[in-house]
Amino acid sequence: MPAPLLDRRDLKFMLYEVFDVESSLTRERYSDHNRETIDAALDVAETIAEKYFLPFRQKIDTNQPTFDGEKVQMIPEIKQALDAVIEAGLASPGADYEMGGMQLPPLATSAVYAYLNAAGSTTMGYIGLTSANANLIEAHGTQAQKAKWVEPQRSGRFAGTMAMSEPGAGSSLADLTTTAVPRDDGTYQITGNKIWISGGDHELSENIVHLVLARVKGAPRGVKGISLFIVPKFLVNDDGSLGARNDVQLAGLFHKMGGRGQTSTALNFGEKGGAIGYLVGEENRGLMYMFHMMNEARIMVGTMAASTALCGYQYSLDYARERPQGRLPSAKDPLAPPVNIIEHADVKRMLLLQKAYAEGAYALCLMGTQLADDEHTAPTEEERAAAHELLDFLTPIIKTWPSEYGPKANYHAIQVLGGSGYVNEHPVEMMYRDNRLNPIHEGTTGIQSLDLLARKVPQNNLAGYRACLRAIGESIAQAKQVEELSVYAYELEAAVATVNQTTEFLLAAMGEQDIDLVLANSVKYLDMFGHVVIAWMWLRQGLVASAALAGQPHDADVAFYRGKLQAMRYFFRYELPEIGAWSTLLMNLDDTCLGMQNDWF
Amino acid sequence: MPAPLLDRRDLKFMLYEVFDVESSLTRERYSDHNRETIDAALDVAETIAEKYFLPFRQKIDTNQPTFDGEKVQMIPEIKQALDAVIEAGLASPGADYEMGGMQLPPLATSAVYAYLNAAGSTTMGYIGLTSANANLIEAHGTQAQKAKWVEPQRSGRFAGTMAMSEPGAGSSLADLTTTAVPRDDGTYQITGNKIWISGGDHELSENIVHLVLARVKGAPRGVKGISLFIVPKFLVNDDGSLGARNDVQLAGLFHKMGGRGQTSTALNFGEKGGAIGYLVGEENRGLMYMFHMMNEARIMVGTMAASTALCGYQYSLDYARERPQGRLPSAKDPLAPPVNIIEHADVKRMLLLQKAYAEGAYALCLMGTQLADDEHTAPTEEERAAAHELLDFLTPIIKTWPSEYGPKANYHAIQVLGGSGYVNEHPVEMMYRDNRLNPIHEGTTGIQSLDLLARKVPQNNLAGYRACLRAIGESIAQAKQVEELSVYAYELEAAVATVNQTTEFLLAAMGEQDIDLVLANSVKYLDMFGHVVIAWMWLRQGLVASAALAGQPHDADVAFYRGKLQAMRYFFRYELPEIGAWSTLLMNLDDTCLGMQNDWF
């Protein structure tokens, strides 16, 4: 029996026990849903993943898309798989009924996508970006724009992209140079070059809707002069039929180390006379609108990284259970039959590490998903505002921690397999390559760490920061009441105190010291905070597991909950203590890196 | 100007200033050599690397060897490059004159190969294995075997492999099943299947000399019944001409994530009637002989990992110096021109991390190379024995630390380049893939950690362990005398005390506790010891740099030595403190991993 893509028991644990998706089903939007409809959606997703993605996973990886000068060529299995997702109603399962969605709660949607992502790797990126593109237009577009661009994306006829980076403007969007010139008919003429555009061209859909950042002629320089435009591959007539080809040309495809399920493109806008663009919202507020999509994409990236880690964990776990090799150090008889490698302490360590990273990261992404839902559908304005505050604060961590530790999990999946992990008979080397993109796109780890320390912590008079610490404190208070958890509760309390002390020190230093110095080790700050948040995710899982065990569940569940407690213990014993060294560096305002001179390298 | 493959200034620093290769030139074996001949060898290596390897680096990576059912097909540039190495006399530059070598000191040979490895990536593996194969036969073969198999490998006409792993015996050689049946003429008939044989088949040389581990019929089970055989692809007549094809058949090629410059093969011995093999040394002592090659290969793997890290560092450094993007947090004017990314503190951190890992790891490999030389050519028996003792102890660290931290360095090379690092326009993603093999082959990290803690530490009444601590202590004593280094000297002294305390605790526990428990966190032990050894390598470099600065060198050298001191400081501030948490785990005999049950996962 092949390894499962994901552990369904764990998904149910996350959805129903930890994040209690059922409690949101009382909200009007989700009133048609219940545990049965959610389980059914998971079943469909698992079936499609196993039938349409898994058999072609390697073929997709070893057959990169090519550009024949006119069109993008890719193996037909990609379109077949995406069509299967669309036909099953999973292109936008969370969307409004009127847009063709099924108003599935976001937590359930995340689990649905975890299956598809685990098998479909990066191919699912087409659908994720399309959905996020539609969400942005739904939030900020005119009624006419929504009618023209949202519904076809929800139904899967059109695909969507986000077009931000340029050859000279990657992390620094302030420097982008793509221009937009108003035309008499209210549209704009767009001219410029964009790179790293995922899904920027292909033949998978009738049309591609690019959301393009550009400067209107005469706009202020920097980020205050950026506007957002809808620039389709084909113009669309008012009756919804396709019109003329717009002047958006594929300049080339990038050949990536992984993530080969999705094209990464360089696009030229307006090289043959002018690309037509439609302004979204007001001029010069484009970056604010784009953050709608970017924030969603950041949770998506974290979730993708976590899903890939979960999948690699399951695969290497299955391998470790089947592969006999070696004996334990205590074996009296050197000629005794070999044990399966899962018996070796270091293999257990590599599996526990993966479990702790992957399930901890996925829990964080689900919490982010839940907050993103609450932000819109929680019953009271107060709850909605609180969810927004906390999510906004946590976004750089949700994006980054899974992206940094997901590849580390996959590193260990390879190591469990040994030489077999390094060859493409097994998928773990592909996952390792796929996952390496995640610390880069949608804001690198360095960018996210500056966002956290320099913006998200101080903003609104530390409101988000304090809300986060309060939420952690609530779990700690609960855990202190449980005998087997209280030691972890106190350890997490000490870790939070370390974070808080470090934060207060840094905030004070921001007013007194060179800001470059105070921010110099921001990545270590994010790492420290991230570890504490993941320890919190484990304590929350531990609370549920501990309570469940007290209820005397059946044997398989006893084993499952014991595993949760052991993974929590792993994280607290092997990982959380690392924050001490990072905090020291931060509290010392260590300037080793900042002080390094160019010519000393 | 493209990025240099390696920093020649740093190579000279290592060779002439830190490891003082010139002091060994008084030994008779090296009496023809001087600084000029060594520099000339480096020049030749750099030229060949840039002319024959660099231009085809990507082509080699993107055109894996294939098996057409009869022969291995690969792009012709591979043979051209290897022939250029051979013609330049660099196939075995360290070998005896009478065998066609030039008796180049091993330290210089290592630097020569660093150039070739940096550009030639894994293609150089053919030559490295061939050399190590010849070294083994030279040490343990008969005169006739040496005449027949060593010289053609030294001259590059034959290539060599080591054939150990089997489908059921990877890390556990005790379980290998390949058999050898004595024949009337003194040869043996070899039958079995071997996998992961690097360079196991190709058309690059006239012949391939496999060194094969097998069991003579009736031999004891386990490691005590393993013998070593020379099994050539083609038999060789007594006059040196090629004879009949031997029954060694290529069963298939593995498709690897990286390292595509070298075939990895599955070989069938004796499927068509019988492969002829020639016993090396005595029956049942094969594993001991093979360790001659394995130990050499372990230093080679560490060096390869370090070279790849050095090369990625240079590449990303060059990129960071040229790529403008963003502004410092302190920039008053958000519209000021962007800075080159090397100005950003976090980019400096990622470069310093690479410098500290790569140059620290390479220093360790050079120390190992020097010890391997001293083992054979040091003037007194006492010095030779001491070198052997220390090298034997350090080998698992020399193999593992560069292999674990080299890929981490390459991870950061990618991150410095951002999206550009993820695509094959730049070589850093290839280095990341290439380097991932190193923690696996020639003994995984888990295996090495058990070798260190369970064997190398206690053996000979802790002689190697104590010799290592004494050697570190000597550097500490020197550094205490230097004002700018004394703080690091005391920090390293404290770290050594931590290691020693942990070691004594574990050794005591070995006698009292479950051995599986005591060894359960051996990887953390290796990590801890490795970090201390690398800190030592940095202190040694710091001593040289500090002394050189006191001599008022010219400006470029001032910058170089300042960089060394800063990288040392980085390692002591950002890396060494990690050992505290690892020591705690070890001293607690933490059983979180060991206690994890199969059905809890």
Side-chain angles (χ1 to χ4, degrees):
Chain A
M1 206 168 67
L5 284 170
L6 299 171
D7 178 1
R8 177 67 75 95
R9 180 67 188 84
D10 187 45
L11 282 183
K12 289 188 170 185
F13 174 76
M14 296 283 189
L15 289 184
Y16 300 122
E17 300 175 72
V18 179
F19 294 105
D20 189 16
V21 63
E22 288 167 295
S23 71
S24 70
L25 300 182
T26 54
R27 297 175 192 173
E28 196 186 330
R29 181 177 180 82
Y30 308 126
S31 58
D32 290 346
H33 286 286
N34 52 45
R35 194 155 173 157
E36 284 66 40
T37 64
I38 292 172
D39 284 346
L42 290 176
D43 288 342
V44 171
E46 186 176 13
T47 301
I48 290 177
E50 291 185 345
K51 185 168 172 191
Y52 290 96
F53 287 95
L54 198 54
F56 312 109
R57 177 158 69 173
Q58 192 191 81
K59 188 173 178 188
I60 289 171
D61 181 53
T62 51
N63 289 276
Q64 289 191 64
T66 55
F67 178 35
D68 65 9
E70 289 213 1
K71 288 186 173 178
V72 175
Q73 301 291 341
M74 60 179 78
I75 60 168
E77 288 85 351
I78 290 182
K79 182 160 169 55
Q80 288 158 18
L82 292 173
D83 286 350
V85 173
I86 291 164
E87 278 160 32
L90 298 181
S92 284
D96 297 352
Y97 290 132
E98 63 192 42
M99 284 293 177
M102 55 174 89
Q103 296 188 186
L104 194 67
L107 280 171
T109 301
S110 179
V112 159
Y113 280 122
Y115 269 118
L116 297 170
N117 288 336
S121 178
T122 51
T123 300
M124 283 300 295
Y126 291 112
I127 283 182
L129 275 177
T130 300
S131 173
N133 179 306
N135 290 346
L136 185 151
I137 297 174
E138 203 164 67
H140 299 290
T142 62
Q143 283 306 329
Q145 286 173 339
K146 287 185 222 182
K148 196 175 260 185
W149 307 112
V150 174
E151 190 282 328
Q153 293 199 77
R154 296 292 186 214
S155 68
R157 286 197 300 121
F158 292 2
T161 76
M162 59 199 301
M164 304 196 290
S165 295
E166 300 177 2
S171 292
S172 177
L173 288 172
D175 297 311
L176 67 83
T177 62
T178 295
T179 58
V181 178
R183 292 155 39 110
D184 293 344
D185 62 358
T187 65
Y188 290 75
Q189 181 162 331
I190 310 293
T191 310
N193 308 305
K194 296 286 182 182
I195 58 170
W196 313 131
I197 310 309
S198 293
D201 203 9
H202 53 71
E203 302 297 318
L204 298 166
S205 56
E206 293 175 24
N207 200 355
I208 302 176
V209 184
H210 305 288
L211 280 168
V212 179
L213 292 180
R215 292 181 186 288
V216 177
K217 206 138 194 170
R221 289 172 62 199
V223 293
K224 291 176 184 167
I226 297 176
S227 302
L228 180 64
F229 299 89
I230 296 167
V231 187
K233 179 175 175 180
F234 289 97
L235 303 180
V236 173
N237 301 316
D238 288 341
D239 65 357
S241 62
L242 289 196
R245 183 75 161 79
N246 202 3
D247 185 8
V248 184
Q249 306 297 336
L250 178 62
L253 298 175
F254 292 101
H255 290 285
K256 296 177 288 182
M257 174 163 65
R260 293 171 173 174
Q262 190 177 27
T263 51
S264 181
T265 64
L267 296 177
N268 294 336
F269 293 84
E271 290 220 325
K272 297 185 178 173
I276 306 286
Y278 311 100
L279 181 70
V280 176
E282 297 172 28
E283 282 185 7
N284 299 336
R285 304 192 66 192
L287 199 58
M288 192 197 75
Y289 306 137
M290 197 55 128
F291 263 106
H292 188 104
M293 187 166 182
M294 278 196 273
N295 282 329
E296 185 174 342
R298 284 170 179 182
I299 299 176
M300 205 189 300
V301 168
T303 307
M304 187 79 83
S307 307
T308 306
L310 286 170
C311 190
Y313 164 54
Q314 289 300 322
Y315 194 93
S316 61
L317 172 59
D318 184 71
Y319 184 92
R321 281 176 167 153
E322 304 286 331
R323 167 74 176 168
Q325 189 79 178
R327 290 148 196 90
L328 300 190
S330 60
K332 299 272 186 296
D333 177 7
L335 303 177
V339 298
N340 288 329
I341 62 172
I342 198 169
E343 300 300 325
H344 295 298
D346 193 54
V347 173
K348 294 185 190 189
R349 180 186 65 85
M350 295 191 286
L351 293 170
L352 257 183
L353 177 152
Q354 290 181 69
K355 183 175 171 72
Y357 287 2
E359 295 175 4
Y362 189 55
L364 175 60
C365 295
L366 286 176
M367 186 175 72
T369 301
Q370 188 170 49
L371 290 169
D373 182 16
D374 289 346
E375 203 176 15
H376 296 109
T377 71
T380 69
E381 173 56 32
E382 197 185 351
E383 288 168 284
R384 291 193 291 273
H388 174 78
E389 190 85 66
L390 185 54
L391 178 61
D392 196 44
F393 176 77
L394 282 171
T395 297
I397 299 175
I398 297 172
K399 193 273 165 180
T400 305
W401 202 95
S403 296
E404 287 286 341
Y405 287 84
K408 288 185 171 78
N410 292 140
Y411 180 99
H412 286 88
I414 292 176
Q415 197 70 13
V416 168
L417 271 71
S420 295
Y422 195 66
V423 297
N424 74 0
E425 284 174 50
H426 299 277
V428 287
E429 60 90 19
M430 181 192 70
M431 296 172 193
Y432 181 66
R433 290 183 284 110
D434 287 351
N435 225 343
R436 183 62 190 87
L437 180 60
N438 290 317
I440 298 172
H441 63 166
E442 308 307 340
T444 64
T445 296
I447 295 290
Q448 299 294 338
S449 73
L450 290 171
D451 183 46
L452 178 66
L453 180 55
R455 180 162 30 189
K456 295 297 171 63
V457 167
Q459 81 182 4
N460 300 339
N461 203 21
L462 282 77
Y465 168 78
R466 291 201 174 116
C468 179
L469 262 47
R470 251 194 328 272
I472 300 175
E474 286 166 21
S475 299
I476 290 172
Q478 285 176 49
K480 281 182 181 173
Q481 308 304 317
V482 183
E483 198 183 337
E484 69 180 330
L485 297 180
S486 65
V487 57
Y488 304 105
Y490 285 104
E491 282 173 15
L492 184 54
E493 190 169 53
V496 169
T498 298
V499 166
N500 197 37
Q501 186 188 22
T502 311
T503 305
E504 288 182 357
F505 172 84
L506 291 173
L507 290 173
M510 281 183 200
E512 296 161 8
Q513 303 264 359
D514 175 10
I515 189 70
D516 295 331
L517 175 63
V518 179
L519 298 178
N521 294 304
S522 57
V523 163
K524 293 289 175 185
Y525 183 82
L526 194 160
D527 229 358
M528 176 185 69
F529 216 127
H531 257 45
V532 168
V533 168
I534 297 298
W536 173 32
M537 291 300 101
W538 273 110
L539 193 63
R540 283 187 64 175
Q541 294 181 70
L543 279 161
V544 175
S546 178
L549 281 169
Q552 299 185 314
H554 61 74
D555 287 355
D557 268 357
V558 168
F560 175 81
Y561 293 124
R562 285 271 159 241
K564 282 290 177 187
L565 291 172
Q566 199 78 355
M568 172 188 69
R569 184 173 150 189
Y570 170 86
F571 199 84
F572 276 80
R573 291 287 168 272
Y574 285 70
E575 301 291 334
L576 191 58
E578 307 264 354
I579 72 164
W582 305 336
S583 167
T584 302
L585 267 176
L586 289 156
M587 300 277 289
N588 286 340
L589 291 180
D590 193 291
D591 69 347
T592 306
C593 297
L594 185 71
M596 182 69 179
Q597 303 296 309
N598 187 336
D599 63 345
W600 293 1
F601 279 109
Chain B
M1 207 170 66
L5 283 170
L6 299 171
D7 178 0
R8 177 68 74 96
R9 180 67 188 85
D10 187 46
L11 282 183
K12 289 188 170 186
F13 174 76
M14 296 284 188
L15 289 184
Y16 300 122
E17 299 174 73
V18 179
F19 294 104
D20 190 15
V21 63
E22 287 167 296
S23 71
S24 70
L25 301 182
T26 55
R27 298 177 191 171
E28 196 187 329
R29 180 176 180 83
Y30 308 126
S31 58
D32 291 345
H33 287 285
N34 53 45
R35 193 155 172 157
E36 284 66 41
T37 64
I38 292 172
D39 284 347
L42 291 176
D43 288 342
V44 171
E46 186 177 13
T47 302
I48 290 177
E50 291 185 344
K51 185 169 171 190
Y52 290 96
F53 287 95
L54 198 54
F56 313 109
R57 177 159 68 175
Q58 191 191 84
K59 188 173 176 187
I60 289 171
D61 181 54
T62 51
N63 290 274
Q64 289 192 64
T66 55
F67 178 35
D68 65 9
E70 289 215 1
K71 290 187 173 178
V72 175
Q73 302 290 344
M74 59 178 78
I75 60 168
E77 287 86 349
I78 290 183
K79 183 161 168 53
Q80 289 158 17
L82 292 173
D83 286 349
V85 173
I86 291 164
E87 278 161 31
L90 298 181
S92 283
D96 297 352
Y97 291 132
E98 64 192 42
M99 285 291 178
M102 56 174 90
Q103 296 187 187
L104 195 67
L107 280 171
T109 302
S110 178
V112 159
Y113 280 122
Y115 270 118
L116 297 170
N117 289 336
S121 179
T122 50
T123 301
M124 283 301 294
Y126 291 112
I127 282 182
L129 275 177
T130 299
S131 173
N133 179 306
N135 290 347
L136 185 151
I137 298 174
E138 204 163 65
H140 299 291
T142 62
Q143 283 306 328
Q145 287 173 338
K146 287 184 218 182
K148 196 175 261 186
W149 308 112
V150 174
E151 191 282 329
Q153 292 199 76
R154 296 294 186 212
S155 68
R157 286 197 300 123
F158 292 3
T161 78
M162 59 198 300
M164 303 194 292
S165 295
E166 299 177 2
S171 292
S172 178
L173 288 172
D175 297 312
L176 66 83
T177 61
T178 296
T179 58
V181 178
R183 293 156 38 111
D184 292 344
D185 63 357
T187 65
Y188 290 76
Q189 182 161 331
I190 310 293
T191 310
N193 308 305
K194 296 286 182 180
I195 58 170
W196 313 130
I197 309 308
S198 294
D201 203 9
H202 52 71
E203 304 296 317
L204 298 166
S205 56
E206 292 175 23
N207 201 356
I208 302 175
V209 183
H210 304 290
L211 280 169
V212 179
L213 292 180
R215 291 180 189 290
V216 177
K217 204 136 194 169
R221 289 171 63 199
V223 294
K224 291 175 183 167
I226 298 175
S227 302
L228 180 64
F229 300 88
I230 296 167
V231 187
K233 178 174 176 181
F234 290 97
L235 303 180
V236 173
N237 302 315
D238 287 340
D239 66 356
S241 62
L242 291 195
R245 183 76 161 76
N246 202 5
D247 186 9
V248 184
Q249 306 296 338
L250 179 63
L253 297 176
F254 293 102
H255 290 284
K256 295 177 288 180
M257 172 164 65
R260 294 173 174 174
Q262 189 176 24
T263 51
S264 181
T265 64
L267 296 178
N268 295 336
F269 292 84
E271 290 220 327
K272 296 186 177 172
I276 306 286
Y278 311 100
L279 180 71
V280 176
E282 297 171 28
E283 283 185 5
N284 299 335
R285 304 192 65 194
L287 199 58
M288 193 197 75
Y289 306 137
M290 198 55 130
F291 262 106
H292 190 105
M293 188 167 181
M294 278 196 272
N295 282 328
E296 185 173 342
R298 284 169 180 183
I299 300 176
M300 205 188 301
V301 167
T303 307
M304 187 78 84
S307 307
T308 306
L310 286 170
C311 191
Y313 164 54
Q314 289 300 321
Y315 194 93
S316 61
L317 173 59
D318 184 72
Y319 184 92
R321 282 176 166 150
E322 304 286 332
R323 167 74 176 168
Q325 190 78 180
R327 290 149 196 89
L328 300 189
S330 60
K332 298 272 186 297
D333 177 8
L335 304 177
V339 298
N340 288 329
I341 63 172
I342 198 169
E343 301 300 324
H344 295 299
D346 193 54
V347 173
K348 293 186 191 192
R349 180 186 66 84
M350 296 191 285
L351 293 169
L352 258 182
L353 176 151
Q354 290 181 68
K355 183 177 173 71
Y357 286 2
E359 295 176 5
Y362 189 54
L364 175 61
C365 295
L366 286 176
M367 187 174 72
T369 301
Q370 187 169 50
L371 290 168
D373 182 16
D374 289 347
E375 205 176 10
H376 296 109
T377 71
T380 69
E381 174 55 33
E382 198 185 347
E383 288 169 282
R384 291 192 292 271
H388 173 80
E389 189 86 66
L390 185 54
L391 178 60
D392 196 44
F393 176 78
L394 282 172
T395 296
I397 299 175
I398 298 172
K399 193 274 166 179
T400 306
W401 202 94
S403 296
E404 287 285 341
Y405 288 84
K408 289 185 170 75
N410 292 140
Y411 179 99
H412 286 87
I414 292 176
Q415 197 70 13
V416 168
L417 271 71
S420 296
Y422 195 66
V423 297
N424 73 0
E425 285 175 49
H426 299 276
V428 288
E429 60 88 19
M430 181 191 71
M431 296 173 193
Y432 181 66
R433 289 183 284 109
D434 288 350
N435 225 343
R436 182 63 189 85
L437 180 60
N438 290 317
I440 297 172
H441 64 166
E442 309 306 340
T444 64
T445 296
I447 294 289
Q448 299 293 337
S449 74
L450 290 171
D451 182 46
L452 178 67
L453 181 54
R455 181 162 28 186
K456 296 298 172 67
V457 168
Q459 81 181 6
N460 300 338
N461 203 20
L462 283 78
Y465 169 78
R466 291 201 175 116
C468 180
L469 263 47
R470 250 192 330 271
I472 300 175
E474 285 165 22
S475 300
I476 291 172
Q478 284 176 49
K480 281 182 181 172
Q481 307 304 316
V482 182
E483 198 183 334
E484 69 180 329
L485 298 180
S486 65
V487 58
Y488 305 105
Y490 285 105
E491 283 173 16
L492 184 55
E493 192 169 51
V496 169
T498 298
V499 166
N500 198 37
Q501 185 187 23
T502 311
T503 304
E504 288 182 357
F505 172 83
L506 291 173
L507 289 173
M510 280 183 202
E512 296 162 7
Q513 304 263 1
D514 175 12
I515 189 70
D516 295 331
L517 175 63
V518 180
L519 298 177
N521 294 304
S522 57
V523 162
K524 293 289 175 186
Y525 183 81
L526 194 160
D527 229 359
M528 176 184 70
F529 217 127
H531 257 44
V532 168
V533 167
I534 297 297
W536 173 33
M537 291 300 101
W538 274 109
L539 193 64
R540 284 187 65 175
Q541 294 181 70
L543 278 161
V544 175
S546 178
L549 282 168
Q552 299 187 314
H554 60 72
D555 288 356
D557 268 357
V558 169
F560 174 80
Y561 293 124
R562 284 269 160 245
K564 283 290 176 185
L565 291 172
Q566 199 79 354
M568 173 188 69
R569 184 172 151 189
Y570 171 86
F571 198 85
F572 276 80
R573 291 285 168 274
Y574 286 70
E575 301 291 333
L576 191 58
E578 308 263 355
I579 72 165
W582 305 336
S583 167
T584 301
L585 268 177
L586 289 157
M587 301 275 289
N588 286 341
L589 290 181
D590 193 291
D591 69 347
T592 306
C593 297
L594 186 71
M596 181 71 179
Q597 303 298 309
N598 188 335
D599 63 344
W600 294 0
F601 279 110

